[in-house]
PDB file of all heavy atoms in Angstrom:
ATOM      1  N   GLN A  84     -10.715  33.565 -20.308  1.00 96.00           N
ATOM      2  CA  GLN A  84     -11.852  32.813 -19.765  1.00 96.00           C
ATOM      3  C   GLN A  84     -11.761  31.346 -20.178  1.00 96.00           C
ATOM      4  O   GLN A  84     -11.961  30.441 -19.369  1.00 96.00           O
ATOM      5  CB  GLN A  84     -13.148  33.437 -20.303  1.00 96.00           C
ATOM      6  CG  GLN A  84     -14.414  32.892 -19.659  1.00 96.00           C
ATOM      7  CD  GLN A  84     -14.545  33.357 -18.211  1.00 96.00           C
ATOM      8  OE1 GLN A  84     -14.365  34.535 -17.915  1.00 96.00           O
ATOM      9  NE2 GLN A  84     -14.837  32.425 -17.310  1.00 96.00           N
ATOM     10  N   GLN A  85     -11.412  31.153 -21.424  1.00 95.00           N
ATOM     11  CA  GLN A  85     -11.269  29.802 -21.968  1.00 95.00           C
ATOM     12  C   GLN A  85     -10.191  29.039 -21.194  1.00 95.00           C
ATOM     13  O   GLN A  85     -10.383  27.885 -20.811  1.00 95.00           O
ATOM     14  CB  GLN A  85     -10.846  29.964 -23.429  1.00 95.00           C
ATOM     15  CG  GLN A  85     -11.088  28.790 -24.331  1.00 95.00           C
ATOM     16  CD  GLN A  85     -10.624  29.156 -25.745  1.00 95.00           C
ATOM     17  OE1 GLN A  85     -10.989  30.197 -26.309  1.00 95.00           O
ATOM     18  NE2 GLN A  85      -9.785  28.310 -26.324  1.00 95.00           N
ATOM     19  N   ASN A  86      -9.097  29.724 -20.968  1.00 96.00           N
ATOM     20  CA  ASN A  86      -7.998  29.116 -20.220  1.00 96.00           C
ATOM     21  C   ASN A  86      -8.436  28.805 -18.790  1.00 96.00           C
ATOM     22  O   ASN A  86      -8.158  27.725 -18.261  1.00 96.00           O
ATOM     23  CB  ASN A  86      -6.796  30.068 -20.223  1.00 96.00           C
ATOM     24  CG  ASN A  86      -5.590  29.476 -19.525  1.00 96.00           C
ATOM     25  OD1 ASN A  86      -5.503  28.269 -19.359  1.00 96.00           O
ATOM     26  ND2 ASN A  86      -4.679  30.328 -19.108  1.00 96.00           N
ATOM     27  N   LEU A  87      -9.143  29.724 -18.196  1.00 97.00           N
ATOM     28  CA  LEU A  87      -9.630  29.521 -16.837  1.00 97.00           C
ATOM     29  C   LEU A  87     -10.506  28.281 -16.756  1.00 97.00           C
ATOM     30  O   LEU A  87     -10.391  27.474 -15.824  1.00 97.00           O
ATOM     31  CB  LEU A  87     -10.430  30.748 -16.390  1.00 97.00           C
ATOM     32  CG  LEU A  87     -11.128  30.655 -15.034  1.00 97.00           C
ATOM     33  CD1 LEU A  87     -10.138  30.340 -13.924  1.00 97.00           C
ATOM     34  CD2 LEU A  87     -11.875  31.946 -14.711  1.00 97.00           C
ATOM     35  N   GLU A  88     -11.358  28.110 -17.768  1.00 96.00           N
ATOM     36  CA  GLU A  88     -12.233  26.942 -17.741  1.00 96.00           C
ATOM     37  C   GLU A  88     -11.445  25.651 -17.874  1.00 96.00           C
ATOM     38  O   GLU A  88     -11.748  24.649 -17.215  1.00 96.00           O
ATOM     39  CB  GLU A  88     -13.309  27.050 -18.827  1.00 96.00           C
ATOM     40  CG  GLU A  88     -14.607  27.600 -18.263  1.00 96.00           C
ATOM     41  CD  GLU A  88     -15.295  28.582 -19.205  1.00 96.00           C
ATOM     42  OE1 GLU A  88     -15.359  28.287 -20.414  1.00 96.00           O
ATOM     43  OE2 GLU A  88     -15.747  29.656 -18.734  1.00 96.00           O
ATOM     44  N   ALA A  89     -10.416  25.683 -18.711  1.00 95.00           N
ATOM     45  CA  ALA A  89      -9.554  24.505 -18.850  1.00 95.00           C
ATOM     46  C   ALA A  89      -8.895  24.182 -17.509  1.00 95.00           C
ATOM     47  O   ALA A  89      -8.821  23.015 -17.103  1.00 95.00           O
ATOM     48  CB  ALA A  89      -8.505  24.743 -19.925  1.00 95.00           C
ATOM     49  N   VAL A  90      -8.412  25.217 -16.840  1.00 96.00           N
ATOM     50  CA  VAL A  90      -7.779  25.035 -15.535  1.00 96.00           C
ATOM     51  C   VAL A  90      -8.784  24.418 -14.561  1.00 96.00           C
ATOM     52  O   VAL A  90      -8.468  23.466 -13.835  1.00 96.00           O
ATOM     53  CB  VAL A  90      -7.257  26.372 -14.986  1.00 96.00           C
ATOM     54  CG1 VAL A  90      -6.872  26.254 -13.519  1.00 96.00           C
ATOM     55  CG2 VAL A  90      -6.070  26.852 -15.807  1.00 96.00           C
ATOM     56  N   ARG A  91     -10.009  24.924 -14.577  1.00 96.00           N
ATOM     57  CA  ARG A  91     -11.020  24.402 -13.655  1.00 96.00           C
ATOM     58  C   ARG A  91     -11.325  22.937 -13.929  1.00 96.00           C
ATOM     59  O   ARG A  91     -11.522  22.157 -12.996  1.00 96.00           O
ATOM     60  CB  ARG A  91     -12.293  25.236 -13.758  1.00 96.00           C
ATOM     61  CG  ARG A  91     -12.149  26.557 -13.048  1.00 96.00           C
ATOM     62  CD  ARG A  91     -13.442  27.343 -13.063  1.00 96.00           C
ATOM     63  NE  ARG A  91     -13.307  28.577 -12.306  1.00 96.00           N
ATOM     64  CZ  ARG A  91     -13.945  29.707 -12.578  1.00 96.00           C
ATOM     65  NH1 ARG A  91     -14.759  29.767 -13.624  1.00 96.00           N
ATOM     66  NH2 ARG A  91     -13.771  30.761 -11.824  1.00 96.00           N
ATOM     67  N   GLU A  92     -11.377  22.588 -15.200  1.00 95.00           N
ATOM     68  CA  GLU A  92     -11.621  21.185 -15.535  1.00 95.00           C
ATOM     69  C   GLU A  92     -10.501  20.295 -15.005  1.00 95.00           C
ATOM     70  O   GLU A  92     -10.749  19.219 -14.463  1.00 95.00           O
ATOM     71  CB  GLU A  92     -11.734  21.011 -17.052  1.00 95.00           C
ATOM     72  CG  GLU A  92     -13.149  21.219 -17.559  1.00 95.00           C
ATOM     73  CD  GLU A  92     -13.205  21.257 -19.075  1.00 95.00           C
ATOM     74  OE1 GLU A  92     -12.503  20.454 -19.725  1.00 95.00           O
ATOM     75  OE2 GLU A  92     -13.930  22.113 -19.623  1.00 95.00           O
ATOM     76  N   LYS A  93      -9.268  20.766 -15.174  1.00 96.00           N
ATOM     77  CA  LYS A  93      -8.140  19.977 -14.679  1.00 96.00           C
ATOM     78  C   LYS A  93      -8.241  19.816 -13.165  1.00 96.00           C
ATOM     79  O   LYS A  93      -8.036  18.725 -12.627  1.00 96.00           O
ATOM     80  CB  LYS A  93      -6.814  20.654 -15.035  1.00 96.00           C
ATOM     81  CG  LYS A  93      -6.311  20.303 -16.429  1.00 96.00           C
ATOM     82  CD  LYS A  93      -4.976  20.985 -16.709  1.00 96.00           C
ATOM     83  CE  LYS A  93      -4.869  21.420 -18.154  1.00 96.00           C
ATOM     84  NZ  LYS A  93      -3.981  22.587 -18.347  1.00 96.00           N
ATOM     85  N   ILE A  94      -8.585  20.894 -12.487  1.00 97.00           N
ATOM     86  CA  ILE A  94      -8.723  20.816 -11.030  1.00 97.00           C
ATOM     87  C   ILE A  94      -9.790  19.795 -10.657  1.00 97.00           C
ATOM     88  O   ILE A  94      -9.592  18.955  -9.779  1.00 97.00           O
ATOM     89  CB  ILE A  94      -9.077  22.197 -10.436  1.00 97.00           C
ATOM     90  CG1 ILE A  94      -7.901  23.149 -10.584  1.00 97.00           C
ATOM     91  CG2 ILE A  94      -9.468  22.062  -8.971  1.00 97.00           C
ATOM     92  CD1 ILE A  94      -8.194  24.571 -10.144  1.00 97.00           C
ATOM     93  N   ALA A  95     -10.904  19.848 -11.374  1.00 96.00           N
ATOM     94  CA  ALA A  95     -12.005  18.940 -11.058  1.00 96.00           C
ATOM     95  C   ALA A  95     -11.568  17.490 -11.216  1.00 96.00           C
ATOM     96  O   ALA A  95     -11.817  16.655 -10.331  1.00 96.00           O
ATOM     97  CB  ALA A  95     -13.198  19.237 -11.956  1.00 96.00           C
ATOM     98  N   SER A  96     -10.875  17.183 -12.325  1.00 95.00           N
ATOM     99  CA  SER A  96     -10.536  15.776 -12.512  1.00 95.00           C
ATOM    100  C   SER A  96      -9.443  15.349 -11.536  1.00 95.00           C
ATOM    101  O   SER A  96      -9.448  14.210 -11.055  1.00 95.00           O
ATOM    102  CB  SER A  96     -10.168  15.479 -13.965  1.00 95.00           C
ATOM    103  OG  SER A  96      -8.996  16.136 -14.312  1.00 95.00           O
ATOM    104  N   LEU A  97      -8.542  16.257 -11.211  1.00 96.00           N
ATOM    105  CA  LEU A  97      -7.520  15.913 -10.220  1.00 96.00           C
ATOM    106  C   LEU A  97      -8.127  15.722  -8.840  1.00 96.00           C
ATOM    107  O   LEU A  97      -7.694  14.853  -8.066  1.00 96.00           O
ATOM    108  CB  LEU A  97      -6.439  17.002 -10.176  1.00 96.00           C
ATOM    109  CG  LEU A  97      -5.438  16.978 -11.324  1.00 96.00           C
ATOM    110  CD1 LEU A  97      -4.538  18.203 -11.281  1.00 96.00           C
ATOM    111  CD2 LEU A  97      -4.601  15.716 -11.287  1.00 96.00           C
ATOM    112  N   THR A  98      -9.141  16.485  -8.542  1.00 96.00           N
ATOM    113  CA  THR A  98      -9.781  16.349  -7.233  1.00 96.00           C
ATOM    114  C   THR A  98     -10.503  15.010  -7.123  1.00 96.00           C
ATOM    115  O   THR A  98     -10.443  14.333  -6.085  1.00 96.00           O
ATOM    116  CB  THR A  98     -10.754  17.519  -7.006  1.00 96.00           C
ATOM    117  OG1 THR A  98     -10.036  18.740  -7.165  1.00 96.00           O
ATOM    118  CG2 THR A  98     -11.354  17.464  -5.621  1.00 96.00           C
ATOM    119  N   ALA A  99     -11.152  14.611  -8.223  1.00 95.00           N
ATOM    120  CA  ALA A  99     -11.808  13.302  -8.247  1.00 95.00           C
ATOM    121  C   ALA A  99     -10.770  12.218  -8.003  1.00 95.00           C
ATOM    122  O   ALA A  99     -10.974  11.274  -7.226  1.00 95.00           O
ATOM    123  CB  ALA A  99     -12.497  13.099  -9.590  1.00 95.00           C
ATOM    124  N   LEU A 100      -9.642  12.370  -8.657  1.00 95.00           N
ATOM    125  CA  LEU A 100      -8.538  11.439  -8.511  1.00 95.00           C
ATOM    126  C   LEU A 100      -8.040  11.381  -7.079  1.00 95.00           C
ATOM    127  O   LEU A 100      -7.767  10.306  -6.527  1.00 95.00           O
ATOM    128  CB  LEU A 100      -7.412  11.963  -9.383  1.00 95.00           C
ATOM    129  CG  LEU A 100      -6.725  10.997 -10.284  1.00 95.00           C
ATOM    130  CD1 LEU A 100      -6.858  11.448 -11.719  1.00 95.00           C
ATOM    131  CD2 LEU A 100      -5.301  10.949  -9.863  1.00 95.00           C
ATOM    132  N   GLU A 101      -7.903  12.549  -6.487  1.00 96.00           N
ATOM    133  CA  GLU A 101      -7.441  12.644  -5.102  1.00 96.00           C
ATOM    134  C   GLU A 101      -8.354  11.822  -4.184  1.00 96.00           C
ATOM    135  O   GLU A 101      -7.885  11.036  -3.366  1.00 96.00           O
ATOM    136  CB  GLU A 101      -7.452  14.119  -4.678  1.00 96.00           C
ATOM    137  CG  GLU A 101      -6.873  14.376  -3.310  1.00 96.00           C
ATOM    138  CD  GLU A 101      -7.112  15.815  -2.859  1.00 96.00           C
ATOM    139  OE1 GLU A 101      -8.027  16.487  -3.395  1.00 96.00           O
ATOM    140  OE2 GLU A 101      -6.388  16.276  -1.961  1.00 96.00           O
ATOM    141  N   THR A 102      -9.653  12.022  -4.380  1.00 96.00           N
ATOM    142  CA  THR A 102     -10.623  11.299  -3.563  1.00 96.00           C
ATOM    143  C   THR A 102     -10.471   9.796  -3.721  1.00 96.00           C
ATOM    144  O   THR A 102     -10.437   9.047  -2.735  1.00 96.00           O
ATOM    145  CB  THR A 102     -12.053  11.717  -3.973  1.00 96.00           C
ATOM    146  OG1 THR A 102     -12.117  13.138  -3.986  1.00 96.00           O
ATOM    147  CG2 THR A 102     -13.078  11.147  -3.028  1.00 96.00           C
ATOM    148  N   GLN A 103     -10.365   9.360  -4.956  1.00 95.00           N
ATOM    149  CA  GLN A 103     -10.228   7.929  -5.214  1.00 95.00           C
ATOM    150  C   GLN A 103      -8.982   7.368  -4.543  1.00 95.00           C
ATOM    151  O   GLN A 103      -9.006   6.304  -3.929  1.00 95.00           O
ATOM    152  CB  GLN A 103     -10.129   7.686  -6.722  1.00 95.00           C
ATOM    153  CG  GLN A 103     -11.473   7.547  -7.407  1.00 95.00           C
ATOM    154  CD  GLN A 103     -11.278   7.062  -8.837  1.00 95.00           C
ATOM    155  OE1 GLN A 103     -11.048   7.869  -9.731  1.00 95.00           O
ATOM    156  NE2 GLN A 103     -11.343   5.754  -9.038  1.00 95.00           N
ATOM    157  N   LEU A 104      -7.874   8.111  -4.703  1.00 96.00           N
ATOM    158  CA  LEU A 104      -6.621   7.647  -4.116  1.00 96.00           C
ATOM    159  C   LEU A 104      -6.707   7.592  -2.595  1.00 96.00           C
ATOM    160  O   LEU A 104      -6.247   6.636  -1.958  1.00 96.00           O
ATOM    161  CB  LEU A 104      -5.476   8.564  -4.533  1.00 96.00           C
ATOM    162  CG  LEU A 104      -4.881   8.285  -5.915  1.00 96.00           C
ATOM    163  CD1 LEU A 104      -3.931   9.393  -6.325  1.00 96.00           C
ATOM    164  CD2 LEU A 104      -4.164   6.943  -5.923  1.00 96.00           C
ATOM    165  N   GLU A 105      -7.313   8.601  -2.018  1.00 97.00           N
ATOM    166  CA  GLU A 105      -7.468   8.624  -0.565  1.00 97.00           C
ATOM    167  C   GLU A 105      -8.238   7.388  -0.090  1.00 97.00           C
ATOM    168  O   GLU A 105      -7.860   6.732   0.882  1.00 97.00           O
ATOM    169  CB  GLU A 105      -8.202   9.888  -0.128  1.00 97.00           C
ATOM    170  CG  GLU A 105      -7.319  11.128  -0.140  1.00 97.00           C
ATOM    171  CD  GLU A 105      -8.120  12.418   0.003  1.00 97.00           C
ATOM    172  OE1 GLU A 105      -9.366  12.363  -0.118  1.00 97.00           O
ATOM    173  OE2 GLU A 105      -7.499  13.455   0.215  1.00 97.00           O
ATOM    174  N   GLY A 106      -9.308   7.084  -0.838  1.00 96.00           N
ATOM    175  CA  GLY A 106     -10.124   5.922  -0.504  1.00 96.00           C
ATOM    176  C   GLY A 106      -9.304   4.644  -0.537  1.00 96.00           C
ATOM    177  O   GLY A 106      -9.350   3.814   0.378  1.00 96.00           O
ATOM    178  N   LEU A 107      -8.539   4.493  -1.597  1.00 96.00           N
ATOM    179  CA  LEU A 107      -7.722   3.291  -1.740  1.00 96.00           C
ATOM    180  C   LEU A 107      -6.698   3.179  -0.627  1.00 96.00           C
ATOM    181  O   LEU A 107      -6.512   2.126  -0.026  1.00 96.00           O
ATOM    182  CB  LEU A 107      -7.003   3.319  -3.086  1.00 96.00           C
ATOM    183  CG  LEU A 107      -7.810   2.885  -4.303  1.00 96.00           C
ATOM    184  CD1 LEU A 107      -6.933   2.903  -5.536  1.00 96.00           C
ATOM    185  CD2 LEU A 107      -8.381   1.493  -4.067  1.00 96.00           C
ATOM    186  N   ILE A 108      -6.021   4.289  -0.383  1.00 96.00           N
ATOM    187  CA  ILE A 108      -4.962   4.276   0.625  1.00 96.00           C
ATOM    188  C   ILE A 108      -5.526   3.933   2.004  1.00 96.00           C
ATOM    189  O   ILE A 108      -4.916   3.191   2.775  1.00 96.00           O
ATOM    190  CB  ILE A 108      -4.230   5.636   0.636  1.00 96.00           C
ATOM    191  CG1 ILE A 108      -3.396   5.777  -0.639  1.00 96.00           C
ATOM    192  CG2 ILE A 108      -3.342   5.776   1.865  1.00 96.00           C
ATOM    193  CD1 ILE A 108      -2.827   7.147  -0.885  1.00 96.00           C
ATOM    194  N   ALA A 109      -6.708   4.452   2.273  1.00 96.00           N
ATOM    195  CA  ALA A 109      -7.330   4.188   3.571  1.00 96.00           C
ATOM    196  C   ALA A 109      -7.611   2.700   3.771  1.00 96.00           C
ATOM    197  O   ALA A 109      -7.596   2.195   4.892  1.00 96.00           O
ATOM    198  CB  ALA A 109      -8.629   4.981   3.693  1.00 96.00           C
ATOM    199  N   GLN A 110      -7.864   2.001   2.645  1.00 95.00           N
ATOM    200  CA  GLN A 110      -8.213   0.583   2.754  1.00 95.00           C
ATOM    201  C   GLN A 110      -7.010  -0.335   2.871  1.00 95.00           C
ATOM    202  O   GLN A 110      -7.144  -1.523   3.152  1.00 95.00           O
ATOM    203  CB  GLN A 110      -9.029   0.170   1.534  1.00 95.00           C
ATOM    204  CG  GLN A 110     -10.497   0.571   1.618  1.00 95.00           C
ATOM    205  CD  GLN A 110     -11.175   0.344   0.283  1.00 95.00           C
ATOM    206  OE1 GLN A 110     -11.021  -0.708  -0.320  1.00 95.00           O
ATOM    207  NE2 GLN A 110     -11.906   1.339  -0.183  1.00 95.00           N
TER     208      GLN A 110
END
Side-chain angles (χ1 to χ4, degrees):
Chain A
Q84 189 70 47
Q85 201 179 309
N86 183 20
L87 174 57
E88 263 140 44
V90 168
R91 284 184 177 148
E92 272 171 41
K93 275 181 216 152
I94 292 175
S96 66
L97 283 172
T98 305
L100 227 121
E101 185 189 20
T102 310
Q103 273 190 275
L104 278 170
E105 283 168 348
L107 279 183
I108 289 169
Q110 280 170 47

